[in-house]
Amino acid sequence: MCESYALKTGERQESAIHTPTHLLIGTAVLARPDRKWSLGAAIAGSLLPDVPMFVMLASAKLSGLGDGDIWPMPDGLYWDATWQAWTNASHALPIYLSVLAIAYAARLDGLRIFAWAALLHIAFDLPVHREDGHAHFWPLSDWKFISPVSYWDPHHYGLIMLPVEAIIVIGTLVVLWRRYRSRRSRLVLGGAAASFAAAPLYFILTHH
């Protein structure tokens, strides 16, 4: 339910983006049609924790690096100190809690929704990451919670977590489909559903 859905085959690790799951959760919980600003705030807060990873991934791909150069632990580029610093900062609880406090103190509803969406992202990340987790208490600590559950590793319940994630996606899509009835909104929801299926399909077709 996080930035990447990985499959390990022997020594090779592959990755497909599942950030749309965070977006759907954040918008289903926090966005309302009668508060039009809430949709953009929920989307921004849901996506921001993964933005540094996307930027660095795009840069690596443009440099000609493949998945085998990026993801494998411990030598892949993803585990480089710079990458880890940026992803830790973008998943840091102290930062978003500070933003949330400012939002409540200043009565900034959009910023409040944004901060809660980012915190929801972190809340769903925390219990399903093992060694690939983030230092959620940065900059106060570099400590990482190593969960017994992995959202992708079949040796740590990954084969169970994938259908669980699919159920969450379907449930949030149903909620949002009933909540947002305009054609444009439903086209966006259809695109989100397609992206959830398209990412794994792309990696299956291009790596096997």
Side-chain angles (χ1 to χ4, degrees):
M1 291 180 223
C2 6
E3 68 276 5
S4 63
Y5 167 71
L7 298 171
K8 277 190 175 179
T9 306
E11 295 299 318
R12 184 172 67 182
Q13 176 173 302
E14 298 159 9
S15 180
I17 304 305
H18 272 201
T19 299
T21 305
H22 285 301
L23 187 152
L24 290 170
I25 292 170
T27 53
V29 173
L30 297 166
R32 297 292 184 273
D34 59 338
R35 295 177 292 173
K36 293 184 178 180
W37 49 265
S38 66
L39 181 61
I43 290 173
S46 299
L47 294 181
L48 182 62
D50 286 345
V51 166
M53 196 250 337
F54 281 122
V55 172
M56 291 184 290
L57 179 59
S59 176
K61 290 289 188 179
L62 289 172
S63 299
L65 298 179
D67 289 342
D69 302 306
I70 298 170
W71 303 113
M73 188 176 70
D75 299 322
L77 187 60
Y78 177 78
W79 305 98
D80 178 78
T82 301
W83 275 52
Q84 289 294 299
W86 279 104
T87 56
N88 287 338
S90 65
H91 287 81
L93 279 169
I95 291 176
Y96 296 114
L97 288 173
S98 298
V99 172
L100 186 65
I102 292 170
Y104 274 104
R107 298 182 180 180
L108 299 173
D109 289 338
L111 188 63
R112 175 175 55 82
I113 295 296
F114 167 86
W116 274 121
L119 289 168
L120 270 177
H121 183 127
I122 293 170
F124 277 88
D125 265 1
L126 188 64
V128 293
H129 276 277
R130 288 185 54 77
E131 292 82 0
D132 56 349
H134 308 291
H136 289 298
F137 296 97
W138 186 94
L140 304 179
S141 172
D142 290 329
W143 176 80
K144 293 184 179 182
F145 172 64
I146 306 298
S147 173
V149 177
S150 169
Y151 71 100
W152 63 265
D153 189 341
H155 300 294
H156 297 282
Y157 309 103
L159 295 178
I160 296 174
M161 290 309 303
L162 181 58
V164 169
E165 182 178 7
I167 291 169
I168 292 173
V169 167
I170 293 168
T172 53
L173 281 170
V174 169
V175 168
L176 290 167
W177 188 269
R178 297 182 65 179
R179 185 181 297 167
Y180 289 92
R181 299 181 179 275
S182 71
R183 180 178 299 178
R184 184 170 67 176
S185 296
R186 290 185 168 181
L187 282 173
V188 171
L189 291 174
S195 68
F196 180 83
L201 181 61
Y202 166 79
F203 280 91
I204 288 171
L205 292 176
T206 57
H207 290 73
H208 292 279

